[in-house]
């Protein structure tokens, strides 16, 4: 719970704000020391499951191999290394052993950042069903707290911007993130986690009026916050989150027709309220972002694709997107801004990891696909609890949202979102058997 909460608060700075990520890495190590070394802290936890260990190895293998020193004859023969070879020759250092990555420091920093969510995935895979529900409560709690921070950001209370970072999406609700798109995904995760908690509460078959009321209010609050992030993709992906929440709750609805009427009424209220809110300048600014204008992402994709051709098939090294884009940027698109991401995680991975990375990514996706199928079959058994079914839907829904958002952004470059993704993958695995029977 502490690891998830800290990751959501301190892991949203990204490349341009590494200070909080360094603090998060140190705190992660300190928290894991008693969890790994003390038997009393491990009471109630199951063993680390084999699929989790396999995924952990696959995630870490690419940056580790890219840091292995290679003899001069090998690394100088790699594509895109001619200028580096000539530069080192000027100081008589061209005979040095060098790794595959073009920037060892950046790749090593990326490796350290990746270890945190990997360790979190391994530990969450050991939790019981009840322990995983507690993690969902942390996700909702931190997300709601980020909404409160966002209110301070938008109101500029006391003349302050209320952000942990010196570079962030000013004028939008970003909470503990430096990027409004990352905050949008945080709120989407919280919406799905709210569905899990509501399902656990409603699973006893009783009529919990207060639970339904709280559920609706929390979802509406998260939706409003989602809109104020100004993230177009995040707002669009909210429909997927709502669909998965409906799937969680559908088996427990006694009067489904009444529920559908209630949803229609709520939608009508949202439409009317939206029409009134359109008069606010802050709302108009968000709506204006949906205009059909040329996207800077298109130029970034073109430059990234060109850079891929320069280093194919071995890649440039994990974390090297900035120098690669700066070298590949066309003169006609150069301006005062600095390209820091490809705004397409899939494309950026191809650039940095090359063909070996694509093979590893394919293996990871196959394993996750297998886990999804197995989790669905397990959740559909007659003796499966409502909580287990909801957790599986949370995992599938959030992984789908991240995969789609990665087409136009870079959610996996945020330690906060990488940690939540690790939690989602771990939720696909069977809960610890020692406590599962009590649920």
């Amino acid at each position: 719970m502490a690891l998830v909460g800290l990751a959501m608060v301190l892991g949203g700075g990204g490349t341009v704000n590494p200070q909080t990520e360094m603090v998060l890495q140190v705190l992660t190590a300190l928290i894991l020391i008693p969890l790994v070394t003390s038997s009393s802290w491990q009471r109630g936890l199951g063993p680390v499951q084999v699929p989790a260990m396999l995924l952990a190895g696959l995630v870490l293998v690419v940056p580790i191999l890219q840091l292995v020193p290679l003899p001069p004859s090998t690394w100088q023969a790699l594509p895109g290394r001619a200028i580096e070879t000539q530069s080192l020759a000027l100081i008589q250092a061209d005979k040095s052993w060098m790794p595959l990555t073009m920037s060892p420091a950046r790749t090593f920093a990326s490796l350290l950042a990746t270890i945190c969510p990997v360790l979190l995935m391994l530990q969450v895979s050991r939790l019981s069903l009840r322990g995983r529900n507690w993690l969902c409560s942390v996700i909702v709690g931190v997300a709601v707290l980020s909404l409160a921070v966002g209110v301070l950001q938008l109101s500029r209370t006391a003349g302050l911007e209320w952000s942990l970072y010196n570079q962030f999406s000013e004028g939008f609700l970003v909470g503990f993130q430096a990027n409004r798109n990352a905050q949008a995904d945080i709120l989407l995760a919280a919406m799905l986690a709210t569905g899990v908690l509501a399902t656990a509460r409603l699973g006893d078959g009783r009529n919990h009026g207060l639970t339904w009321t709280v559920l609706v209010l929390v979802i509406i609050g998260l939706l409003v916050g989602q809109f104020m992030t100004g993230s177009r993709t995040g707002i669009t992906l909210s429909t997927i989150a709502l669909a998965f929440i409906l799937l969680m709750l559908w088996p427990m609805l006694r009067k489904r027709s009444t529920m559908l009427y209630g949803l229609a009424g709520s939608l009508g209220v949202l439409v009317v309220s939206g029409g009134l809110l359109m008069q606010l300048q802050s709302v108009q600014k968000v709506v204006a972002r949906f205009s059909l204008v040329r996207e800077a992402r298109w130029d970034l994709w073109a430059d990234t694709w060109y850079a891929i051709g320069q280093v194919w098939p071995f890649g440039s090294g994990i974390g090297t997107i900035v120098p690669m884009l700066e070298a590949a940027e066309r003169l006609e698109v150069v301006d005062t801004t600095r390209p820091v991401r490809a705004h397409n995680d899939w494309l950026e991975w191809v650039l940095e990891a090359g063909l070996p990375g694509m093979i590893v990514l394919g293996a990871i996706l196959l394993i996750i696909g297998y886990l999804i199928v197995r989790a669905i079959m397990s959740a559909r058994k007659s003796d499966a609890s409502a909580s287990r079914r909801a957790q599986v839907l949370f995992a599938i829904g959030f992984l789908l949202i991240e995969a789609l958002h990665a087409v136009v952004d870079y959610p996996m470059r945020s330690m906060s979102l990488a940690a939540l993704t690790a939690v989602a993958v771990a939720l696909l695995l069977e809960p610890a058997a020692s406590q599962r029977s009590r649920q």
Side-chain angles (χ1 to χ4, degrees):
M1 291 171 64
L3 287 175
V4 172
L6 288 171
M8 293 177 66
V9 173
L10 299 176
T15 305
V16 295
N17 297 290
Q19 295 83 0
T20 55
E21 291 190 354
M22 295 171 60
V23 175
L24 175 60
Q25 292 166 18
V26 173
L27 292 177
T28 298
L30 294 177
I31 291 174
L32 283 177
I33 288 175
L35 186 61
V36 173
T37 60
S38 173
S39 59
S40 61
W41 279 60
Q42 300 184 46
R43 187 178 297 114
L45 297 177
V48 177
Q49 301 186 38
V50 173
M53 291 189 289
L54 182 58
L55 285 173
L58 288 172
V59 169
L60 297 177
V61 67
V62 173
I64 289 176
L65 291 180
Q66 288 182 341
L67 290 170
V68 176
L70 303 173
S73 59
T74 301
W75 72 262
Q76 291 179 12
L78 297 174
R81 308 299 282 264
I83 296 179
E84 182 179 359
T85 302
Q86 296 169 7
S87 301
L88 291 174
L90 296 175
I91 57 174
Q92 289 77 46
D94 56 320
K95 301 303 181 183
S96 303
W97 285 48
M98 300 288 288
L100 188 149
T101 175
M102 293 183 174
S103 178
R106 290 176 180 269
T107 301
F108 183 68
S110 300
L111 175 62
L112 292 179
T114 306
I115 289 175
C116 292
V118 167
L119 292 175
L120 182 60
M121 177 188 65
L122 295 176
Q123 295 302 323
V124 175
S125 71
R126 307 174 63 192
L127 283 176
S128 67
L129 197 67
R130 183 181 180 185
R132 297 178 180 192
N133 279 339
W134 276 107
L135 286 187
C136 290
S137 67
V138 172
I139 294 173
V140 175
V142 176
V144 171
L145 183 60
S146 74
L147 287 180
V149 175
V151 171
L152 298 177
Q153 291 167 338
L154 295 177
S155 62
R156 298 190 177 184
T157 302
L160 300 177
E161 298 297 345
W162 294 95
S163 175
L164 295 173
Y165 314 107
N166 56 3
Q167 297 184 39
F168 65 101
S169 302
E170 184 178 352
F172 296 94
L173 191 150
V174 294
F176 298 116
Q177 308 298 306
N179 184 296
R180 57 172 171 259
N181 295 313
Q183 173 65 7
D185 286 354
I186 292 290
L187 297 180
L188 290 173
M191 290 170 61
L192 292 169
T194 302
V196 173
L197 297 177
T199 302
R201 177 68 175 168
L202 299 169
D204 58 7
R206 298 178 183 178
N207 185 18
H208 297 277
L210 180 60
T211 302
W212 284 108
T213 302
V214 173
L215 170 66
V216 172
L217 291 178
V218 172
I219 294 297
I220 290 177
L222 293 173
L223 285 174
V224 173
Q226 182 73 264
F227 184 80
M228 298 313 297
T229 63
S231 172
R232 293 165 293 182
T233 308
I235 295 172
T236 304
L237 292 176
S238 296
T239 56
I240 295 179
L242 291 175
F244 273 86
I245 293 173
L246 183 59
L247 287 174
M248 295 178 193
L249 300 175
W250 189 256
M252 290 170 288
L253 298 176
R254 294 180 176 179
K255 298 180 180 180
R256 295 178 178 176
S257 59
T258 304
M259 182 63 182
L260 292 176
Y261 289 135
L263 290 175
S266 300
L267 181 61
V269 172
L270 288 175
V271 171
V272 174
S273 302
L276 297 175
L277 292 174
M278 279 295 295
Q279 308 304 318
L280 298 178
Q281 184 178 359
S282 58
V283 175
Q284 293 175 359
K285 180 175 64 174
V286 174
V287 175
R289 299 197 70 245
F290 285 86
S291 60
L292 296 177
V293 295
R294 179 173 176 81
E295 281 285 338
R297 286 179 173 87
W298 303 345
D299 294 321
L300 289 171
W301 295 346
D303 292 339
T304 303
W305 189 252
Y306 172 80
I308 290 174
Q310 303 304 302
V311 295
W312 183 262
F314 298 103
S316 59
I318 306 300
T320 60
I321 184 66
V322 173
M324 292 301 298
L325 279 183
E326 289 177 340
E329 192 174 19
R330 292 159 294 158
L331 291 178
E332 60 266 27
V333 298
V334 173
D335 55 22
T336 57
T337 62
R338 184 185 185 188
V340 295
R341 290 296 176 195
H343 280 270
N344 184 316
D345 250 340
W346 304 103
L347 199 61
E348 188 169 332
W349 179 256
V350 175
L351 169 63
E352 295 182 340
L355 181 60
M358 293 181 65
I359 296 174
V360 171
L361 178 60
I364 291 174
L365 294 178
L366 284 176
I367 294 174
I368 292 178
Y370 165 75
L371 293 178
I372 289 175
V373 173
R374 193 179 72 171
I376 291 175
M377 295 176 62
S378 173
R380 294 184 63 181
K381 293 180 179 179
S382 57
D383 60 342
S385 67
S387 291
R388 172 60 179 159
R389 182 175 176 275
Q391 289 176 5
V392 170
L393 288 172
F394 168 93
I396 298 173
F398 188 70
L399 292 175
L400 176 61
I401 287 171
E402 293 302 277
L404 293 175
H405 206 167
V407 175
V408 295
D409 208 72
Y410 43 96
M412 288 300 96
R413 308 297 168 153
S414 162
M415 287 185 68
S416 294
L417 297 180
L420 292 178
T421 302
V423 171
V425 172
L427 291 184
L428 294 174
L429 300 169
E430 285 294 320
S434 60
Q435 294 185 13
R436 184 175 56 206
S437 60
R438 302 179 188 177
Q439 308 306 317

